[in-house]
Amino acid sequence: MPNSAETLKSKLFHQITKLNELQEEDGKISVDFGVKGGEIDKKSRAPRKLDFYTVSERVGQAADDVFQTVDELSKVNPTKVATAGFGNPQLKAPLDGPWNLLFSTAADASFSKDSKRGDAKAMNIVDAGRERITNVIKFALGEDGKPKAVEELRVKLAATAEGPNRVNLIFKYVAVKCTKLFFFPLRWTLYIPVPAPFIGKIVVAIRNVKNHLLRRKAEKFKLPKAFFDVLYLDESLRVHKTGEDNLFIQSRPDFSIQ
């Protein structure tokens, strides 16, 4: 007899707790910004997928347990149309609202106190009716108990539904909330626009033409499509997988692991 969704959820939450405890003992994968920091894949320029076995055998096995339970949970997904309400503010959308990150395989969503960028809490805010998503990263205080120079990142995305469970994404801009201007204490926000898909395609085309003219034996580069597929969704838990095969497990802010 297959396990119920509630049983699998409880199992999943305890596996994530165990994984976190093991990482506290054995260490977390240290990730810093960019390609050199291990955040972005050098070839695809997409977020790198973490290999938990690089920490230790037992951390890798604990992560595998999480993956297995997610596979089981996806088979009992109670929400048939996760994208309901996208583009229609009059409808109640099951994805709407804030979601706190519990676990991810994506390097750009992984933070550690041992890395240069430091520890942080990540969350996601969905506004389905207006077809907007905001990724929020709040950095932990410094060792002196004071906010760091970069206190928070907010990544704004346009989001559209493609079928019952897929959400396509277009990155719009990044808002960097700072606490200093040079050496002076001052709260201000830096807005960094993200190149539009059209510009990205031009850059990719130039790169491919350059490799062809120089007779480089390089694989033809393609601009990766940004999207995620919802694997499981109910009132308190959300699980999705991105186009780069990165897994995200999120819960409502007021939900606690039992």
Side-chain angles (χ1 to χ4, degrees):
M1 182 178 177
N3 289 320
S4 68
E6 289 303 316
T7 300
L8 290 171
K9 282 172 60 177
S10 178
K11 180 180 178 182
L12 179 64
F13 293 143
H14 283 91
Q15 287 173 335
I16 293 173
T17 299
K18 178 183 176 181
L19 175 59
N20 291 337
E21 290 173 350
L22 291 176
Q23 288 184 103
E24 285 295 321
E25 295 177 11
D26 296 1
K28 293 183 69 175
I29 300 174
S30 182
V31 178
D32 280 303
F33 292 115
V35 174
K36 291 184 178 180
E39 179 188 37
I40 303 298
D41 183 83
K42 183 178 180 180
K43 195 171 187 179
S44 67
R45 298 290 164 169
R48 187 171 62 87
K49 187 175 181 179
L50 300 178
D51 179 4
F52 291 90
Y53 280 96
T54 60
V55 176
S56 69
E57 183 72 18
R58 63 177 188 164
V59 167
Q61 290 176 349
D64 284 347
D65 290 340
V66 171
F67 303 149
Q68 184 176 346
T69 301
V70 164
D71 287 340
E72 295 179 54
L73 199 57
S74 66
K75 297 173 184 177
V76 293
N77 180 18
T79 306
K80 302 304 178 185
V81 184
T83 57
F86 267 79
N88 189 344
Q90 305 304 318
L91 293 179
K92 183 179 179 181
L95 276 171
D96 253 349
W99 297 90
N100 286 350
L101 183 65
L102 299 178
F103 170 84
S104 179
T105 61
D108 64 339
S110 178
F111 299 90
S112 168
K113 61 184 179 181
D114 299 323
S115 65
K116 290 181 181 178
R117 63 181 182 180
D119 202 3
K121 298 291 184 183
M123 69 178 299
N124 179 269
I125 304 170
V126 179
D127 185 345
R130 299 170 69 188
E131 297 183 308
R132 296 178 183 177
I133 291 180
T134 305
N135 292 334
V136 182
I137 298 169
K138 294 184 178 181
F139 290 98
L141 299 176
E143 293 182 356
D144 56 1
K146 297 180 180 179
K148 294 185 177 180
V150 174
E151 186 177 33
E152 181 181 293
L153 299 178
R154 286 183 175 253
V155 183
K156 301 285 185 175
L157 307 97
T160 54
E162 181 185 331
N165 294 303
R166 176 166 293 187
V167 177
N168 291 324
L169 304 170
I170 297 178
F171 290 81
K172 308 299 285 186
Y173 65 88
V174 180
V176 184
K177 293 190 175 184
C178 306
T179 61
K180 293 180 182 179
L181 183 59
F182 299 107
F183 299 104
F184 301 100
L186 178 68
R187 292 187 178 275
W188 61 290
T189 302
L190 172 66
Y191 293 92
I192 305 174
V194 178
F198 176 72
I199 297 175
K201 289 177 181 177
I202 292 176
V203 173
V204 168
I206 293 173
R207 177 176 173 179
N208 288 331
V209 169
K210 181 180 178 181
N211 287 336
H212 177 73
L213 293 175
L214 296 177
R215 300 181 182 277
R216 292 175 178 170
K217 293 183 179 180
E219 184 179 345
K220 191 173 182 180
F221 185 77
K222 294 181 180 179
L223 191 68
K225 182 180 179 180
F227 67 88
F228 66 81
D229 291 323
V230 178
L231 305 180
Y232 182 90
L233 178 65
D234 64 18
E235 297 83 1
S236 59
L237 180 68
R238 165 184 164 194
V239 182
H240 72 253
K241 186 172 285 189
T242 69
E244 294 84 31
D245 198 42
N246 276 315
L247 184 69
F248 285 77
I249 301 175
Q250 299 166 308
S251 70
R252 293 295 188 185
D254 58 353
F255 185 79
S256 61
I257 297 176
Q258 302 296 323

